Amino acid sequence: MIDEYRRTFAAFAANGGGRGPEWLATLRRNGMDRFAAIGFPTTHDEEWRFTPVSSIARVPFTLAPQPTMELSAAEVEPFRFGHDEWPTLVFVNGRYSARLSYRSVLPPGVQLRPLSEVLESEPTSLEGTLGHSGSLDGTSFTALNAAFLQDGAVLSVASGVELPSPMHFVFVATRDAQGVMVHPRNVVQVGDGARVNFIESYLSLDNESSYLTNAVTEVRVGSGAWVEHVRVQRESEAASHIGWTEVHQARDSHYRSFTLALGGRLSRLNLHARSNASNTETLLYGLYLTRNEQLADTHTAIFHDHPNCRSWEVYKGILTDRSRAVFNGKVFVKPEAQKTDAKQTNRNLLLSEGAKVNTKPQLEIFADDVKCTHGATVGRLDETAHFYLQSRGIPRVAARKLLTYAFAAEVVNEVTVAPVREALGRLVWARLAEGT
Amino acid sequence: MALLEISDLCASASGKEILRGVDLTVNSAEIHAIMGPNGSGKSTLAQVLVGHPAYVVTRGSVVYDGQDLLDMEPEVRAQAGVFLAFQYPVEIPGVTNAYFLRAAYNEIRKSKGLEEVDPMDFLDLLEEKLKLVEWGPEIMQRAVNAGFSGGEKKRNEILQMAVLEPRLAILDETDSGLDIDALRIVADGVNALKRPENATIIVTHYQRLLNYIVPDFVHVLSAGRIVRSGGKELALELEAKGYEWLTGGAEAA
Ligand SMILES: Nc1ncnc2c1ncn2[C@@H]1O[C@H](COP(=O)(O)OP(=O)(O)O)[C@@H](O)[C@H]1O
Ligand SMILES: [Mg+2]
């Protein structure tokens, strides 16, 4: 299996992936070597205990043939958010599509470009970021991402700039993506005091093709900056989605994220937030909806290394059929991180007998003057509330849907941009209407 | 024809017999008070009438507006005009009062073959109903009963009743825990909604509310049976003498 990936890598290096600056070639080679050395994780790895990736390891994925299938703007249209003029970068099977993208006139100090273009036109500009991702490239999937990294979104916002609207990165898998792997790498750099909203979407035009998305996103939040990051995963329900988001926050900054996982036969998100100075705020909200045989895994990690930082995390799950979810929330508080205020909540709603959740809060606290709490629940629909709605004339099934939606709404409502929040609400509602 | 005809109604929960042969007839335009000590089965009777799944009817019948009420799903009973203001209203986080009330209102309209109303028109309708309970529009954006005080929850029940305009309203201890202002608001609400074709059943174990809403009939429930019925003066008698002389301390056990 590793040999298959080595061969794919050699072919990749020989054509498109061979181009670019030396540091990039080194990064890719190191990624490949690292992956070859450790291979895919197994359930013996603590981090993957409940999430077997045998379905990924069994078949070797290949890179999407280029050029990929042509898509019309109309096909992508339903997946846009908000208004037409919101800047949107569209990637088809991992490669940037200028034709489908919309890059309006951006305010001075804002650059939104595909990674492929940045690597071509400014070969050294990302060396400091990508070239020194360090731990980021240490796991099987992030190493594989480094080996094959080629495209993705690069957003950089200068100090003090306030973005007038969200930026949207859309990764589309086409109907012929069967057996294909894509390795998006996104880089978001937000200057001091800037205010930024961005959305990452992963989606498929059908619900049957089995492919692998293995995405890595790095977010750097300048001091005093405010960032909202929405991540929507609605891959094909036969696909595998592995995501790794790494956030670095500077002093006095605010980072909030909302992640939604709807698709993927298997999906895994690692979301890691680390502050390099004091007085930061980190808000992580998320929702996963699973049905049939889906497995959705969320691993979050918040590193409190400095004093006076606050983190607030609420993840919710709604599961039906024989689906599964895994939630692991790590919070590390170093001895010097006094006055840390960290709260973590994971709540799960099981709508069927066969659904199952493995939830594990993992707090490691080494400071004494802190406020850290966590709570995890796995429950069923509140029958008392259900009857209350019925007693007001709302039919049983509708009442059930309404309560299920209400459970989800608590986190969806944390999204601050109204059109995005509403679109996400509709997405969740539509999914629940299908019977989840 | 009576609006509600309860005959020999027996019901149990968790295998425990609670109602032991209740007979009660309620006609349009009447207000009935059901009184009785704690644990006598007042709430059980109310819950059975709206179809709470925890209670099993073991004997007897309930005919509402000519139909077998016990055979109807809870939502169908509501659509047919039966409403219970709960003793303990339920909190529903994540659903706004506005959404909830409009959903309920529209379901009831749909069941009558009427068009649904859109959010804007519904707001207009609400404005007038809110006045009745002396509330501003802010309350509509709060989640249903979530974090409401006891008094606010009761007021919210009356608001729902005002919007849904039931034919048969059952108020279960709506007065308990209310201060005098809230009590007046609740009573005014109930009185304002009085129509010749409607009827009201007030469940309470104090006669306080009955100073504001004057009943045509008062019934005393004890150990799952109506042991005495009379006019409004019965309530005063109970206030003065307590329940012991009628119940023989049946609920004390
Ligand atoms: N769901 C239930 N399961 C078991 N017992 C119940 C249930 N509801 C009521 N009971 C019992 O039935 C009796 C009557 O209760 P209730 O109808 O609430 O009385 P009241 O409203 O008159 O105070 C009490 O002894 C109570 O504990
Ligand atoms: Mg009671």
mmCIF file of all heavy atoms in Angstrom, chain B residues 13-14 16 18 37-44 54-55 87, ligand 1:
data_model
loop_
_atom_site.group_PDB
_atom_site.id
_atom_site.type_symbol
_atom_site.label_atom_id
_atom_site.label_comp_id
_atom_site.label_asym_id
_atom_site.label_seq_id
_atom_site.Cartn_x
_atom_site.Cartn_y
_atom_site.Cartn_z
ATOM 1 N N ALA B 13 -51.429 5.078 36.413
ATOM 2 C CA ALA B 13 -50.090 5.367 35.895
ATOM 3 C C ALA B 13 -49.120 4.489 36.663
ATOM 4 O O ALA B 13 -49.282 4.304 37.869
ATOM 5 C CB ALA B 13 -49.741 6.838 36.095
ATOM 6 N N SER B 14 -48.129 3.983 35.955
ATOM 7 C CA SER B 14 -47.137 3.079 36.544
ATOM 8 C C SER B 14 -47.822 2.003 37.388
ATOM 9 O O SER B 14 -47.371 1.668 38.480
ATOM 10 C CB SER B 14 -46.144 3.842 37.433
ATOM 11 O OG SER B 14 -45.778 5.055 36.850
ATOM 12 N N LYS B 16 -50.430 2.193 39.055
ATOM 13 C CA LYS B 16 -51.140 2.711 40.224
ATOM 14 C C LYS B 16 -52.480 3.305 39.799
ATOM 15 O O LYS B 16 -52.543 4.127 38.881
ATOM 16 C CB LYS B 16 -50.264 3.793 40.879
ATOM 17 C CG LYS B 16 -50.891 4.394 42.114
ATOM 18 C CD LYS B 16 -50.051 5.534 42.665
ATOM 19 C CE LYS B 16 -50.949 6.278 43.611
ATOM 20 N NZ LYS B 16 -50.477 7.236 44.436
ATOM 21 N N ILE B 18 -55.340 5.744 39.854
ATOM 22 C CA ILE B 18 -55.441 7.129 40.334
ATOM 23 C C ILE B 18 -56.866 7.659 40.228
ATOM 24 O O ILE B 18 -57.429 8.146 41.194
ATOM 25 C CB ILE B 18 -54.461 8.051 39.576
ATOM 26 C CG1 ILE B 18 -53.019 7.505 39.660
ATOM 27 C CG2 ILE B 18 -54.503 9.471 40.169
ATOM 28 C CD1 ILE B 18 -52.026 8.223 38.791
ATOM 29 N N PRO B 37 -57.725 18.035 47.638
ATOM 30 C CA PRO B 37 -56.395 18.085 48.240
ATOM 31 C C PRO B 37 -55.307 17.593 47.282
ATOM 32 O O PRO B 37 -55.606 16.976 46.259
ATOM 33 C CB PRO B 37 -56.522 17.153 49.449
ATOM 34 C CG PRO B 37 -57.706 16.298 49.181
ATOM 35 C CD PRO B 37 -58.616 17.072 48.287
ATOM 36 N N ASN B 38 -54.082 17.853 47.626
ATOM 37 C CA ASN B 38 -52.948 17.370 46.844
ATOM 38 C C ASN B 38 -52.995 15.853 46.733
ATOM 39 O O ASN B 38 -53.276 15.176 47.711
ATOM 40 C CB ASN B 38 -51.630 17.759 47.537
ATOM 41 C CG ASN B 38 -51.155 19.103 47.025
ATOM 42 O OD1 ASN B 38 -51.423 19.469 45.880
ATOM 43 N ND2 ASN B 38 -50.471 19.851 47.877
ATOM 44 N N GLY B 39 -52.746 15.385 45.533
ATOM 45 C CA GLY B 39 -52.688 13.940 45.343
ATOM 46 C C GLY B 39 -54.041 13.306 45.092
ATOM 47 O O GLY B 39 -54.146 12.082 44.983
ATOM 48 N N SER B 40 -55.091 14.106 44.970
ATOM 49 C CA SER B 40 -56.420 13.510 44.793
ATOM 50 C C SER B 40 -56.675 13.086 43.345
ATOM 51 O O SER B 40 -57.633 12.374 43.072
ATOM 52 C CB SER B 40 -57.496 14.496 45.258
ATOM 53 O OG SER B 40 -57.373 15.720 44.564
ATOM 54 N N GLY B 41 -55.821 13.544 42.410
ATOM 55 C CA GLY B 41 -55.969 13.123 41.015
ATOM 56 C C GLY B 41 -56.406 14.228 40.067
ATOM 57 O O GLY B 41 -56.741 13.963 38.910
ATOM 58 N N LYS B 42 -56.350 15.466 40.529
ATOM 59 C CA LYS B 42 -56.802 16.592 39.693
ATOM 60 C C LYS B 42 -55.964 16.707 38.419
ATOM 61 O O LYS B 42 -56.497 16.812 37.316
ATOM 62 C CB LYS B 42 -56.727 17.915 40.488
ATOM 63 C CG LYS B 42 -57.548 17.910 41.775
ATOM 64 C CD LYS B 42 -57.508 19.255 42.478
ATOM 65 C CE LYS B 42 -56.119 19.694 42.923
ATOM 66 N NZ LYS B 42 -55.495 18.810 43.919
ATOM 67 N N SER B 43 -54.631 16.698 38.593
ATOM 68 C CA SER B 43 -53.774 16.819 37.409
ATOM 69 C C SER B 43 -53.910 15.603 36.520
ATOM 70 O O SER B 43 -53.855 15.705 35.286
ATOM 71 C CB SER B 43 -52.305 16.984 37.822
ATOM 72 O OG SER B 43 -52.120 18.242 38.417
ATOM 73 N N THR B 44 -54.078 14.453 37.131
ATOM 74 C CA THR B 44 -54.241 13.233 36.340
ATOM 75 C C THR B 44 -55.464 13.360 35.434
ATOM 76 O O THR B 44 -55.401 13.050 34.243
ATOM 77 C CB THR B 44 -54.375 12.012 37.269
ATOM 78 O OG1 THR B 44 -53.192 11.916 38.057
ATOM 79 C CG2 THR B 44 -54.570 10.733 36.471
ATOM 80 N N ALA B 54 -48.453 8.918 29.757
ATOM 81 C CA ALA B 54 -48.112 8.233 31.008
ATOM 82 C C ALA B 54 -49.340 7.612 31.671
ATOM 83 O O ALA B 54 -49.202 6.749 32.535
ATOM 84 C CB ALA B 54 -47.442 9.208 31.971
ATOM 85 N N TYR B 55 -50.528 8.046 31.255
ATOM 86 C CA TYR B 55 -51.745 7.571 31.927
ATOM 87 C C TYR B 55 -52.527 6.606 31.036
ATOM 88 O O TYR B 55 -52.710 6.858 29.856
ATOM 89 C CB TYR B 55 -52.628 8.765 32.315
ATOM 90 C CG TYR B 55 -51.891 9.715 33.238
ATOM 91 C CD1 TYR B 55 -51.194 10.809 32.725
ATOM 92 C CD2 TYR B 55 -51.842 9.474 34.603
ATOM 93 C CE1 TYR B 55 -50.484 11.657 33.563
ATOM 94 C CE2 TYR B 55 -51.125 10.306 35.447
ATOM 95 C CZ TYR B 55 -50.447 11.401 34.921
ATOM 96 O OH TYR B 55 -49.735 12.217 35.747
ATOM 97 N N GLN B 87 -49.855 22.484 34.819
ATOM 98 C CA GLN B 87 -49.401 22.869 36.152
ATOM 99 C C GLN B 87 -47.902 23.167 36.110
ATOM 100 O O GLN B 87 -47.434 24.107 36.726
ATOM 101 C CB GLN B 87 -49.693 21.750 37.158
ATOM 102 C CG GLN B 87 -49.242 22.093 38.560
ATOM 103 C CD GLN B 87 -49.742 21.081 39.600
ATOM 104 O OE1 GLN B 87 -50.293 20.037 39.258
ATOM 105 N NE2 GLN B 87 -49.549 21.403 40.865
HETATM 106 N N1 LIG C 1 -47.171 9.666 36.030
HETATM 107 C C1 LIG C 1 -47.426 9.171 37.266
HETATM 108 N N2 LIG C 1 -46.876 8.008 37.646
HETATM 109 C C2 LIG C 1 -47.135 7.506 38.880
HETATM 110 N N3 LIG C 1 -47.925 8.091 39.780
HETATM 111 C C3 LIG C 1 -48.502 9.257 39.455
HETATM 112 C C4 LIG C 1 -48.271 9.851 38.173
HETATM 113 N N4 LIG C 1 -48.971 11.008 38.124
HETATM 114 C C5 LIG C 1 -49.604 11.123 39.321
HETATM 115 N N5 LIG C 1 -49.312 10.077 40.100
HETATM 116 C C6 LIG C 1 -49.838 9.867 41.461
HETATM 117 O O1 LIG C 1 -51.243 9.943 41.431
HETATM 118 C C7 LIG C 1 -51.722 10.671 42.531
HETATM 119 C C8 LIG C 1 -52.503 11.873 42.052
HETATM 120 O O2 LIG C 1 -51.614 12.802 41.448
HETATM 121 P P1 LIG C 1 -52.091 14.147 40.763
HETATM 122 O O3 LIG C 1 -53.100 13.826 39.730
HETATM 123 O O4 LIG C 1 -50.907 14.884 40.331
HETATM 124 O O5 LIG C 1 -52.787 14.866 41.992
HETATM 125 P P2 LIG C 1 -53.211 16.401 42.214
HETATM 126 O O6 LIG C 1 -53.021 17.124 40.934
HETATM 127 O O7 LIG C 1 -54.612 16.323 42.650
HETATM 128 O O8 LIG C 1 -52.335 16.899 43.298
HETATM 129 C C9 LIG C 1 -50.515 11.033 43.381
HETATM 130 O O9 LIG C 1 -50.376 10.073 44.381
HETATM 131 C C10 LIG C 1 -49.388 10.957 42.409
HETATM 132 O O10 LIG C 1 -48.194 10.620 43.042
#
